[in-house]
């Protein structure tokens, strides 16, 4: 499937630029399995890179010009490679320009410009991190094209920074870290305080379905940043209240929340409950996977969604429809929203042998409520970003 994307990209690159793409990198999208809005609270997440992603192709030029093309719509922008400026019209280009700026800061002004084009198969707005896939693939390809080495962690950090500073979304590191540290047939267990990213074996008799609701995924509209500010406010309260150091909500236990949340403003208290509970669910989830208890693991996913819905209020009717329906479908073990929330996709854990019938049942249940079926497809836990050429 991905190879077809690369073939199309190669041919579009050739006909637009009149030459071959010398360097190509691929970066996957991601699903978030447990641990919602915990990354910027220095907590834990279980996630996986998926078998959908973005290819970024580049060839250096003789002059200092950068030409960049979005391969799906063949829209092109041009800018000086040494000094990219934020675009108000071609917003998509800011993800790459931010990465170029980051590489320039790290490795110095480039000697040469480049021709570049990217193409992927992650549906935009699906909540599967097409933006992180674009950032990570562009960083790996552009670094390679200028002969520079960049570690996985630094590539992820550069992508996150591009998104924070060039698109205004104060996202955490989850999407980019999963995109670079993903491993086939494994989940990624991330600790966003220590920045350790470890593979966790994923049982082969279960798999994930992704249900794209097509509901609006409004991260850029400020809901995400507002949630983040609430968590930071709550962390400041706990830092002033508890008798041990609190740098982020990661340092607050569920029992401490129960004891003190009444003293905090009600909105911040409700919001804080979510990442605090999620951290505990991630740690419990890792143990359950080790023990092979996928049923209990699935129940944690349902609990996670309930917490999103009630405390963080980052679900929406469309996502709730999927999760409510999932609870009644044979073979489904768990379901929750994945990523920022407010729309996008739900991720469903299902016994592999029941995946097909469960997907059909989910689409039908969704259609009954919303008039059209949600897009449901199986995803595979896949390897992380890499240079695929040369
Ligand atoms: C989005 C952000 C991530 C993370 C998730 C929620 O995907 O980009 O950094 O905060 O939402 O867990």
């Amino acid at each position: 499937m991905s190879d077809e994307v690369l073939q199309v990209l190669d041919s579009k690159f050739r006909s637009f630029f009149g030459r071959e793409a010398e360097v190509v990198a691929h970066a996957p999208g991601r699903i978030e399995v447990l641990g919602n809005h915990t990354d910027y609270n220095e907590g834990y997440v279980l996630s996986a890179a998926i078998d959908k992603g973005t290819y970024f192709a580049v060839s250096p030029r003789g002059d200092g010009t950068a030409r960049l093309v979005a391969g799906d719509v063949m829209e092109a922008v041009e800018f000086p490679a040494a000094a990219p400026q934020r675009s108000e019209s071609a917003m998509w280009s800011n993800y790459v320009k931010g990465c170029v700026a980051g590489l320039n800061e790290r490795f110095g002004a480039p000697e040469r410009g480049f021709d570049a084009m990217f193409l992927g198969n992650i549906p935009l707005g699906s909540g599967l991190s097409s933006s992180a896939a674009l950032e990570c693939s562009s960083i790996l390809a552009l670094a390679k094209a200028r002969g520079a080495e960049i570690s996985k962690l630094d590539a992820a950090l550069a992508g996150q920074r591009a998104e924070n500073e060039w698109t205004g979304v104060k996202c955490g590191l989850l999407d980019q870290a999963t995109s670079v540290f993903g491993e086939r047939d494994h989940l990624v267990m991330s600790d966003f305080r220590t920045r350790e990213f470890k593979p966790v074996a994923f049982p082969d008799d279960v798999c994930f379905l992704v249900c794209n609701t097509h509901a609006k995924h409004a991260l850029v509209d400020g809901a995400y940043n507002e949630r983040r500010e609430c968590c930071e406010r709550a962390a400041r309260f706990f830092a002033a209240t508890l008798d041990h150091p609190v740098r982020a909500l990661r340092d607050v236990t569920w029992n401490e929340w129960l004891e003190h949340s009444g003293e905090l403003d009600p909105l911040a208290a409700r919001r804080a409950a979510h990442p605090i509970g999620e951290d505990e669910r991630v740690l419990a989830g890792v143990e359950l996977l080790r023990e092979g208890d996928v049923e209990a693991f699935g129940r944690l996913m349902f609990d996670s969604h309930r917490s999103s819905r009630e405390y963080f209020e980052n679900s929406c009717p469309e996502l709730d429809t999927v999760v409510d329906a999932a609870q009644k479908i044979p073979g489904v073990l768990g379901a929750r929203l994945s990523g920022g929330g407010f729309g996008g996709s739900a991720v469903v854990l299902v016994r592999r042998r029941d995946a097909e019938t469960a997907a059909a049942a989910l689409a039908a249940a969704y259609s009954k409520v919303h008039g059209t079926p949600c897009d449901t497809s199986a995803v595979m836990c896949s390897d992380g970003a890499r240079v695929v050429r040369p």
Side-chain angles (χ1 to χ4, degrees), residues 30 32 35-40 171-175 219 224 339-340:
R30 63 99 190 89
E32 180 199 278
N36 185 243
H37 286 259
T38 50
D39 59 349
Y40 56 80
C171 64
L173 187 58
L174 168 68
D175 307 343
L219 289 193
Y224 183 94

Side-chain angles (χ1 to χ4, degrees), residues 142-177:
L142 290 166
K144 180 82 179 173
R146 53 185 291 171
E149 293 285 334
I150 187 158
S151 71
K152 288 184 181 188
L153 178 59
D154 286 340
L157 286 166
Q160 180 201 19
R161 189 168 160 207
E163 189 149 341
N164 288 172
E165 294 177 7
W166 285 69
T167 77
V169 181
K170 301 287 172 217
C171 64
L173 187 58
L174 168 68
D175 307 343
Q176 296 81 3

Side-chain angles (χ1 to χ4, degrees), residues 2-12 14 55:
S2 296
D3 290 346
E4 280 167 38
V5 176
L6 180 54
Q7 277 172 25
V8 176
L9 176 60
D10 266 332
S11 115
K12 286 186 171 203
R14 216 175 289 124
Y55 282 100

